[in-house]
Amino acid sequence: AGVAEPILTLARTRHARAFHLCISLLERNNPAFAAALVAGSIDEAALDTIRANEDANGTSYAVYVLERMISLDEAVRARCMAAKVDVPVLAAMRGHHMTTMVTACQLMHILSDDPGVAQRLAEAHAEEVFLEVARLGPPDTRGNGALALNLMLNEPGVADRVAEAGGDELLLIVARESSEEGSAYAAASLNTLLYHRADLADRVVEKRGISTMAHVLGFSTPFGRGCAVLVLYSLLNSPTAGALARERLSNLSVEGNLLVVMAYDMDAALSYRLATGLILARLMAGGPAVAKRVLALGGVNKFMDVLRLPRDTDQRKAVVAAGVCGLATMMEAIMAESAPIVFHAGGLDVLLSILETEDDPELLSYAGGAINALCTGCKSAPDAGADAIGTLLANHGEDKVAAAILRSSDDRVTHFLTTLVCTMIQLSPPPPTSVVERMLERGVLAPIVAFLNNDEADPEGRAFAALALGFFMEVKPDQVGAVYEAGCMASLIKLLKEPLARGQSAVAVCALLDGKPEAAAEIIAAGGELDLFESCLNEDSNVRLSATKAVAAVMNADNKVCVSMYEANFDRVCLELIKNGDTQSRSGGALALAMLVAGAPAAADRALALGGVEGLMKMMSEYEEPVEVQMAVWALATVISGSDDAAKRVVELGGAELLTHRGIEAEADNPPARVFAALALTTLLESVPTCAARVIEAGGDGFLLTLAQDDALTEGLPQARGVAACCLGFLIEGEHSVAERLASQGAAGVMLDVARASKVEGHGFASGAMIRLMQFAPDAAAQFKELGAAETLQALIADGGTVDGFVAKTEEARAKEEQSADEVRLYSAIALHQLHMRTAADAAAWAESAEAKADEEVMLGIAKVTLKHNMDALRDPFMGRVDEGAGNLKSLMQVARDLGLDFAAKALADYEGAKERLRAAAAGRKAVADICVDALKLLGDSDFVPPPPPPPPSSARIEARVEALRTRLEREKEARDLLMAGMGGAAGGGDSLLDASGASSGTEASGVESPHGPDSVGDDGRLLDFGSGIGGSDDSWVSLQSLLELERSVAEDHRRLLASGALRA
């Protein structure tokens, strides 16, 4: 009707009613009327009215008209921005009524495209006005103040002024009490404020910020929910308030609302989805309760939707990475429940595609961790375990992992992918040779080695590089050289000193030493043996085993290490493993104990005092694993050799018969056990000769005679025949009557064959057995003479029983070989003397002959040389040499006394300073002191009383650690025993149900599992949990995982029992 023109005329006179009428008509949405107002420049009239600010109502109506017209028409918008309309509007807001202020806030928001607006508002301190609107405005419109405030918060100094004015708390109030849109604006402003003032996080959390944002998350607009997510993410990431924020948010059960935000499919919401994925990951990392709620709310499908997003921009890649992170964390938290669901939802295929095509470090690292968690979690699921690893390998997962490692230039990626390599090796069907070969063919060795040798990288990540290399070397020993040549031993030694990396490094060191024993010198030079010892106390059974074997290898390389290990109470660790460990731990503990006692015989006394003999006897009698029997017998042999009291205890416990039975039983399938049994019987008979009757009654004479004849063992076990022949001599010494039976069975020929077998280690010591056989079997000397023994003995006197092809590599080994050769010469000279005497027509007349005098001179000359070796050993600071010297001195005196010869006394009398040397040596162990006292009696010193031996070393710290280890091992053993007893009783006895179902008989925390399959896995049925590493890991997490895995295992076995009907029965 043309009313626009008169209205415009009145508006130009600043007439309030004209602007009021404009508002009413504009609300009818009449395009013609609006166009007429634009054509008549209503914005100029409104701006003039605002600048004049003569009438409160007129100014208020003018602000509203201006806001509407700017929204409706771009030309008006352009004119207003050019006129810097924000300045007069802001001036009009101050002191005006609230309606004007609210409308002006909306107008400021509309003008926000102009970068100059925010700057001018900041210079004018407009935040004071906007905060007043937020504080005093009507509930439904208070959010407009927050909306306008957000325009200027990015300007310098504004955030500080807002914080000083308590703006953070005011925004929380608006978010709680305002409308849906108002709460959204408040959340948006709070997010911007926290971006500039992260230090406000503590105050925001304290002022109910978490519950307020949870309210916005469930109440506000999509924009508001997204802003609330961003605020929550800032609070959770706060270094000071993050823990409290996470705790409070976990208790509010907001997972459903978070999943709603994560499902937003518009590009504008990518930042919200990114933050949501990371928040969910952070919450689920705090414990299984949140993860279970997310799983129950369909979280897997929501995460999978995110994973399937196009990855064509950096922001989308980041969102996918957050989704992968959340999925991985869920599987870590509730592995058994969630991993099979993820697998059946196609998770493995999607993750493999990410691994194959992406280069983004964040995405690659999370994908590697998620695949690791998925495969590990599916392991115990009957319907997904084999399928998961099968799918992984069928899709050439090892190739894709290898390719990703080769593409990676980021340490985090290498960390996660190397962890996945370890998991794939462990979970692949045994043996994992094909997986390892494919990995090596793709060239992963070089980048993993480079990662291990990068001192700047995270030690925890390098630990898994060490573990992967350990598996490579175990499966493919030909890789040891390449790993060693790359300088990895130095890196491994450094990692042994890192608590988080020590266990995995011990596994790698063990594998490397298996193929490169000489590398032990580097460990000794760096003092790494004590760090390996620390790994022997690790919670993981496989780490304990590897570390124990590595320590044994180091002790074998340098006997002096044995003393430091003894002083560190390493024998205590060995004994705990023997008494309470699983199959592999028992074997490793026995091996290490054998090495320890061989170099530090004093450990034998302590082993006896701590029940070690009983532990080894139980291990030898109750278990049938060939390696376990071997190690038990060998360890028992060394303990007996180091302690006469231990030998007596073994005899009391029936050890003579048991060792004999083990030797006989092992003839077909366990040749090493035969040799170790003969070695143990040798030391036992030497210490307790009276047990010979028991050995014979158990069939020991036949066993030893058969072993001494078995030439087939020479190639693989060159010491076998020599040990058996030597043991026959001690058997005859302990039970004289058996000599004639042995002679009638051809023992003379057998002993002489051994003495002539230059490829047999210790063949020369058969001469000692020949002495005893001639001493107690009247016909034996004639048999030896007829068989040409004199020439053989002459040859042994000449060459000292040198073994064909043996070359001592070290000075210590050469000295030991020389000493051994002198002993062979002495026994051979004595045997030749006995042969001459016992085959002479008149023994008494022969004793006065020149030949007899010549024999005696030879014996005395060799005895002096041998005595020098032994007396030198008595003053060696290394306790192993002292015991060795004392033992040889004892044998020398024993054989001389038994045969009525005086060469031992003469040799001692001719040795300068013999009394002083023997008295000094008598101040050590009791066994050594007793031998020294006997030697002093030969010199006429019968009144000498040795001082008491020094107390054994002790360490309170190690004692506490060992006590903790004992408790842990006992609990593991109890868990295994309870589970076995429960299954056996319910299912009708035995392990049949376990075997049929494929379940393990017990559970144990493990980060390291042998890659060789069932043959090398102990009876504890270890479970694997590397985790993806997201969120870090520590000892408490490992302990928690141990308990959770045990709980799941028991529950799974219970389910199988129910299904089988066994419980009903």
Side-chain angles (χ1 to χ4, degrees):
V3 74
E5 186 59 34
I7 290 177
L8 282 166
T9 301
L10 285 174
R12 292 186 186 107
T13 64
R14 304 171 187 167
H15 200 296
R17 291 294 179 182
F19 289 108
H20 187 269
L21 185 56
C22 276
I23 295 170
S24 300
L25 294 174
L26 284 171
E27 288 176 351
R28 305 290 195 276
N29 294 319
N30 187 318
F33 178 71
L37 291 180
V38 172
S41 302
I42 186 68
D43 52 299
E44 294 178 358
L47 186 56
D48 178 59
T49 303
I50 294 169
R51 282 182 176 140
N53 197 16
E54 297 169 343
D55 174 63
N57 288 332
T59 301
S60 178
Y61 298 150
V63 168
Y64 187 86
V65 168
L66 192 60
E67 184 264 334
R68 289 301 306 272
M69 295 309 299
I70 290 173
S71 302
L72 289 173
D73 190 84
E74 285 299 321
V76 173
R77 182 189 183 90
R79 290 199 297 266
C80 287
M81 290 177 71
K84 300 180 181 178
V85 70
D86 53 282
V87 177
V89 169
L90 179 63
M93 287 179 71
R94 297 183 185 277
H96 231 294
H97 53 70
M98 192 55 63
T99 304
T100 304
M101 297 174 72
V102 169
T103 305
C105 287
Q106 291 177 306
L107 188 150
M108 296 296 185
H109 174 67
I110 296 170
L111 295 174
S112 60
D113 288 347
D114 180 1
V117 172
Q119 182 181 351
R120 291 192 293 272
L121 290 175
E123 291 171 352
H125 289 229
E127 73 276 356
E128 299 167 355
V129 178
F130 300 148
L131 287 173
E132 185 177 354
V133 173
R135 184 179 296 108
L136 302 175
D140 289 346
T141 57
R142 293 168 71 183
N144 286 13
L147 177 66
L149 182 66
N150 201 35
L151 301 180
M152 55 185 295
L153 278 172
N154 288 320
E155 294 300 314
V158 175
D160 293 333
R161 296 199 299 266
V162 171
E164 289 172 10
D168 51 329
E169 185 175 358
L170 179 59
L171 290 171
L172 287 173
I173 294 171
V174 174
R176 279 195 297 271
E177 299 178 0
S178 188
S179 63
E180 292 181 22
E181 289 188 351
S183 65
Y185 300 150
S189 293
L190 186 59
N191 177 55
T192 308
L193 181 61
L194 286 170
Y195 176 79
H196 293 286
R197 289 291 302 271
D199 59 303
L200 294 175
D202 294 89
R203 200 160 75 187
V204 171
V205 172
E206 194 62 37
K207 297 293 184 180
R208 297 168 53 200
I210 297 298
S211 60
T212 300
M213 289 302 108
H215 162 75
V216 175
L217 197 57
F219 162 75
S220 188
T221 64
F223 168 71
R225 295 183 183 205
C227 293
V229 164
L230 297 177
V231 171
L232 288 171
Y233 184 68
S234 297
L235 297 177
L236 289 173
N237 267 352
S238 167
T240 54
L244 180 59
R246 184 162 51 248
E247 179 186 346
R248 291 185 175 179
L249 189 59
S250 298
N251 295 329
L252 293 174
S253 301
V254 296
E255 298 79 21
N257 292 328
L258 287 169
L259 288 172
V260 169
V261 175
M262 200 169 71
Y264 289 169
D265 59 0
M266 55 279 200
D267 280 353
L270 286 175
S271 60
Y272 309 153
R273 301 177 82 177
L274 170 62
T276 303
L278 295 175
I279 289 172
L280 285 168
R282 188 71 57 85
L283 292 177
M284 289 188 289
V290 176
K292 288 180 179 179
R293 292 200 294 266
V294 173
L295 182 65
L297 291 165
V300 168
N301 290 331
K302 298 289 195 307
F303 281 123
M304 288 305 301
D305 290 341
V306 171
L307 263 60
R308 293 188 176 100
L309 283 174
R311 301 187 294 274
D312 51 355
T313 66
D314 288 343
Q315 194 172 14
R316 283 179 175 164
K317 285 182 181 180
V319 174
V320 174
V324 176
C325 175
L327 200 62
T329 311
M330 176 196 288
M331 290 188 287
E332 284 183 346
I334 48 170
M335 201 168 277
E337 297 98 314
S338 61
I341 298 174
V342 174
F343 172 70
H344 290 305
L348 186 55
D349 297 326
V350 176
L351 290 168
L352 281 174
S353 72
I354 293 173
L355 206 62
E356 185 176 20
T357 59
E358 292 301 331
D359 294 316
D360 179 69
E362 194 92 6
L363 193 48
L364 273 178
S365 58
Y366 286 148
I371 295 174
N372 182 68
L374 191 153
C375 293
T376 305
C378 287
K379 178 184 178 184
S380 57
D383 58 340
D387 291 341
I389 192 65
T391 301
L392 182 62
L393 298 178
N395 284 286
H396 302 290
E398 63 271 42
D399 295 343
K400 294 173 182 177
V401 173
I405 290 175
L406 293 173
R407 292 200 312 274
S408 168
S409 58
D410 188 283
D411 288 342
R412 289 175 306 160
V413 177
T414 309
H415 172 179
F416 287 113
L417 295 181
T418 305
T419 305
L420 179 55
V421 168
C422 298
T423 303
M424 290 178 66
I425 292 173
Q426 291 183 296
L427 295 185
S428 60
T433 309
S434 61
V435 175
V436 171
E437 285 178 347
R438 289 176 73 94
M439 291 272 189
L440 292 172
E441 287 170 4
R442 299 301 180 272
V444 300
L445 187 65
I448 291 178
V449 164
F451 181 49
L452 174 71
N453 289 337
N454 180 7
D455 291 340
E456 301 299 320
D458 175 30
E460 190 177 356
R462 294 169 64 208
F464 284 103
L467 183 62
L469 292 177
F471 286 164
F472 287 163
M473 290 186 286
E474 283 188 41
V475 177
K476 301 290 288 182
D478 58 349
Q479 298 298 314
V480 170
V483 173
Y484 181 71
E485 293 301 326
C488 290
M489 181 56 89
S491 298
L492 292 172
I493 292 171
K494 290 179 184 176
L495 284 179
L496 283 173
K497 301 182 184 300
E498 296 282 351
L500 286 177
R502 184 174 290 140
Q504 292 92 333
S505 302
V507 173
V509 168
C510 179
L512 200 153
L513 290 176
D514 276 349
K516 202 85 172 173
E518 59 268 30
E522 293 185 41
I523 297 175
I524 297 167
E529 67 273 14
L530 292 176
D531 298 309
L532 280 173
F533 168 70
E534 285 285 325
S535 298
C536 296
L537 302 170
N538 194 280
E539 289 193 358
D540 180 84
S541 64
N542 289 288
V543 171
R544 292 198 296 265
L545 172 63
S546 295
T548 305
K549 289 169 66 177
V551 171
V554 174
M555 289 191 295
N556 190 44
D558 186 344
N559 284 337
K560 292 180 174 60
V561 175
C562 299
V563 178
S564 60
M565 288 294 104
Y566 170 66
E567 291 172 351
N569 290 289
F570 180 59
D571 47 344
R572 299 287 304 274
V573 175
C574 298
L575 291 171
E576 291 303 330
L577 295 176
I578 289 168
K579 289 190 279 187
N580 294 315
D582 56 35
T583 298
Q584 289 181 308
S585 296
R586 288 192 296 266
S587 301
L591 166 68
L593 183 63
M595 293 293 189
L596 178 67
V597 176
D605 291 325
R606 198 155 70 193
L608 172 64
L610 296 171
V613 168
E614 288 81 358
L616 289 169
M617 287 288 291
K618 178 181 179 182
M619 183 176 167
M620 186 171 62
S621 62
E622 295 186 9
Y623 304 110
E624 299 299 329
E625 194 68 31
V627 174
E628 192 167 358
V629 173
Q630 292 172 23
M631 294 300 103
V633 175
W634 185 20
L636 201 60
T638 56
V639 171
I640 294 168
S641 69
S643 170
D644 289 342
D645 291 336
K648 293 172 185 174
R649 181 61 179 152
V650 169
V651 173
E652 289 173 8
L653 296 171
E657 296 89 339
L658 182 57
L659 284 167
T660 305
H661 287 311
R662 277 303 190 189
I664 295 171
E665 291 170 0
E667 286 189 8
D669 61 345
N670 196 354
R674 297 171 66 192
V675 180
F676 293 148
L679 181 63
L681 286 172
T682 302
T683 54
L684 191 65
L685 289 163
E686 185 178 10
S687 298
V688 190
T690 54
C691 73
R694 298 186 179 193
V695 175
I696 294 167
E697 187 177 349
D701 52 336
F703 155 63
L704 292 168
L705 196 59
T706 302
L707 183 62
Q709 297 177 77
D710 195 344
D711 190 49
L713 293 175
T714 301
E715 187 66 30
L717 295 163
Q719 72 275 42
R721 297 177 68 198
V723 169
C726 186
C727 190
L728 281 171
F730 285 109
L731 187 68
I732 295 168
E733 182 183 341
E735 184 57 52
H736 305 162
S737 61
V738 77
E740 293 189 30
R741 187 165 79 217
L742 286 170
S744 67
Q745 294 173 349
V750 173
M751 291 176 184
L752 201 53
D753 283 345
V754 173
R756 289 168 175 161
S758 58
K759 291 185 178 181
V760 173
E761 289 181 17
H763 64 275
F765 287 103
S767 55
M770 293 167 65
I771 294 170
R772 297 305 185 187
L773 189 65
M774 288 187 286
Q775 184 180 0
F776 298 110
D779 299 334
Q783 293 176 20
F784 280 125
K785 183 176 182 180
E786 184 178 342
L787 293 168
E791 292 79 5
T792 301
L793 292 170
Q794 288 284 7
L796 289 174
I797 292 171
D799 67 14
T802 303
V803 178
D804 285 354
F806 177 79
V807 178
K809 295 181 179 179
T810 65
E811 185 177 343
E812 184 180 352
R814 283 191 292 273
K816 196 169 184 178
E817 186 65 15
E818 184 182 344
Q819 181 177 341
S820 176
D822 285 334
E823 291 171 21
V824 168
R825 290 188 182 97
L826 179 59
Y827 286 123
S828 300
I830 297 170
L832 186 61
H833 172 270
Q834 293 293 299
L835 180 64
H836 288 157
M837 183 183 73
R838 294 180 188 281
T839 55
D842 184 347
W846 182 87
E848 301 299 325
S849 68
E851 186 180 16
K853 301 300 181 188
D855 282 356
E856 290 173 6
E857 287 298 319
V858 171
M859 286 188 291
L860 181 59
I862 298 173
K864 287 180 178 180
V865 175
T866 303
L867 182 68
K868 181 180 184 306
H869 288 309
N870 297 334
M871 296 295 271
D872 286 347
L874 286 179
R875 66 179 178 184
D876 194 293
F878 175 50
M879 65 173 73
R881 289 289 314 281
V882 173
D883 275 70
E884 187 179 335
N888 293 334
L889 180 61
K890 176 183 176 182
S891 299
L892 184 149
M893 295 187 299
Q894 181 78 37
V895 71
R897 181 170 57 245
D898 290 349
L899 297 175
L901 301 172
D902 60 358
F903 65 82
K906 286 182 177 180
L908 273 173
D910 288 350
Y911 187 88
E912 187 176 350
K915 286 187 178 182
E916 291 75 12
R917 181 71 50 78
L918 292 168
R919 286 177 181 139
R925 296 178 56 231
K926 180 178 180 299
V928 175
D930 290 345
I931 295 168
C932 292
V933 168
D934 287 345
L936 285 167
K937 287 177 181 177
L938 281 178
L939 293 171
D941 192 350
S942 304
D943 299 328
F944 174 72
V945 177
S954 179
S955 165
R957 184 177 68 87
I958 296 298
E959 291 284 332
R961 294 288 301 276
V962 172
E963 187 62 34
L965 173 63
R966 178 193 294 116
T967 303
R968 185 162 61 245
L969 286 167
E970 286 174 351
R971 286 176 180 168
E972 291 171 1
K973 186 172 181 293
E974 286 173 10
R976 291 197 301 273
D977 292 346
L978 281 172
L979 188 55
M980 287 295 295
M983 293 297 292
D991 299 342
S992 57
L993 186 61
L994 288 171
D995 295 339
S997 67
S1000 59
S1001 61
T1003 330
E1004 182 172 316
S1006 178
V1008 185
E1009 184 172 315
S1010 172
H1012 289 313
D1015 291 340
S1016 65
V1017 173
D1019 58 8
D1020 63 334
R1022 282 171 296 282
L1023 291 174
L1024 167 72
D1025 174 42
F1026 282 126
S1028 70
I1030 297 170
S1033 63
D1034 53 27
D1035 290 344
S1036 62
W1037 176 249
V1038 173
S1039 302
L1040 174 62
Q1041 287 297 96
S1042 173
L1043 294 173
L1044 291 174
E1045 293 288 359
L1046 179 59
E1047 179 185 350
R1048 292 171 194 146
S1049 176
V1050 174
E1052 181 62 20
D1053 292 325
H1054 185 209
R1055 186 187 65 76
R1056 289 197 180 95
L1057 278 171
L1058 284 172
S1060 70
L1063 289 180
R1064 276 197 304 278

